[in-house]
Amino acid sequence: MAPQQKGKQGTKGAKQIVEENKTTLAFYRNMAIGCAAPALLLGFLVFEVTKTSVFMHILALLILGSSYQFMAFMSKAKYSESGALVDSGNDLNMEGGIAENVKDLIILTSGTLLLALISNYFWLVLLLAPIRAGWMLWGSVIQPWLSQRNAQDENPEVDEKKQKKWSERCAA
C-alpha cells in the first residue's frame, strides 16, 4: 500500500462505506434496545407507573425508533439487477453530517432512559435536543441571514461612491 499524505484523509470505497454503515447501524440499534429494554422493564415492574412516565417512555421509544429508521433509510445501498453496487448510500460516519446529529440524539435518549430510572426529573434532559437544534438553526441559518442583510444595507453606500467614480471616469 502507498503511504498516505499527512493532513489529507484517504477516500473510502463504496463497499467500505456499505460495510461501515452496517456496523454503525448495528451498534446504534443494540444501544437503543440495550437501554430501552431494561428501562422499560425496571420502570414498569419495579417503580411506580404514572401517566408522565408512560408518556415519556413512549416519546423516548418514538425518538429511538424514528432516529434508527432515518439512519437506515439514508444509508440504504442500491444494487443493480445483476447484484452490482450502484449507490452506497450516505456515509453515516462522515464528520459534520446529519447522521452525526442523529447518532447524538440516540445517545442522548438512551442515556435519558437510564437516568430516568434514578429520578423522573432526568426526563428534562431530553430538552437538550430542541435546544441544540435551535442553536444549530441560529448558527447556520438565522445569524448568517441577519448579517447578510446588514452587509447589504451597508453596500449601497459603497456602490453609490463607486458609481460616482465610474461616471466621473466615463465623462473624462
Side-chain angles (χ1 to χ4, degrees), residues 21 24 28 67 70-71 74-75 90-106:
N21 284 348
T24 301
Y28 284 98
S67 298
F70 179 72
M71 285 191 351
M74 67 185 281
S75 68
N90 292 340
D91 187 6
L92 296 178
N93 298 317
M94 180 174 54
E95 291 182 23
I98 192 169
E100 191 173 285
N101 297 318
V102 176
K103 291 188 283 188
D104 290 343
L105 183 61
I106 291 174

Side-chain angles (χ1 to χ4, degrees), residues 39-61:
L40 286 172
L41 287 175
L42 287 173
F44 291 134
L45 294 178
V46 178
F47 300 114
E48 181 182 356
V49 178
T50 63
K51 290 179 184 178
T52 304
S53 66
V54 170
F55 174 75
M56 294 307 291
H57 277 94
I58 290 172
L59 180 66
L61 291 176

